[in-house]
Amino acid sequence: MQLNLTGRHVEITDSLRDYVTNKFAKLERHFDHINNVHVILDVEKLVQKAEATLHVNGGELFASTEHQDMYAAIDSLIDKLDRQVIKHKEKLTRH
């Protein structure tokens, strides 16, 4: 899985990069056909945004979330993507 991390108005520190990498590694345990991930971390005034696009076999998954804390926004993003990945995996196994 290739992970691209982009920061808009925020510096991507090593700890932030490690946090995102570890969280997406957990996603890969559920579904190992994730080819490419593009994560964008954005700060607008007091709102921290995290969004990601996953390129998987059979399609693309996208999620976006906002929170006051960047780490909480990333956690929420992973939760959303986790549900989407499981749903996508079930669709593939059903056919």
Side-chain angles (χ1 to χ4, degrees):
M1 173 177 76
Q2 182 184 353
L3 181 76
N4 298 324
L5 190 57
T6 305
R8 291 187 189 148
H9 310 294
V10 63
E11 183 183 341
I12 305 296
T13 61
D14 288 340
S15 62
L16 203 54
R17 183 177 302 280
D18 291 344
Y19 192 75
V20 170
T21 305
N22 290 337
K23 289 292 183 177
F24 276 95
K26 290 179 184 175
L27 264 189
E28 203 170 21
R29 283 188 222 140
H30 286 283
F31 187 62
D32 56 353
H33 298 292
I34 299 172
N35 304 324
N36 190 339
V37 179
H38 188 93
V39 181
I40 299 172
L41 304 178
D42 191 6
V43 177
E44 289 181 10
K45 296 186 181 173
L46 299 174
V47 177
Q48 317 280 324
K49 288 183 181 178
E51 57 185 55
T53 305
L54 271 67
H55 300 276
V56 295
N57 290 359
E60 246 184 31
L61 304 174
F62 176 80
S64 177
T65 185
E66 296 179 354
H67 201 274
Q68 280 95 14
D69 178 42
M70 183 59 81
Y71 291 96
I74 294 167
D75 287 342
S76 177
L77 178 71
I78 294 297
D79 290 343
K80 286 182 178 182
L81 286 171
D82 196 34
R83 286 192 297 273
Q84 287 185 27
V85 162
I86 290 169
K87 194 173 179 180
H88 180 71
K89 186 177 176 181
E90 288 171 357
K91 275 186 189 174
L92 289 180
T93 55
R94 225 179 306 143
H95 290 109

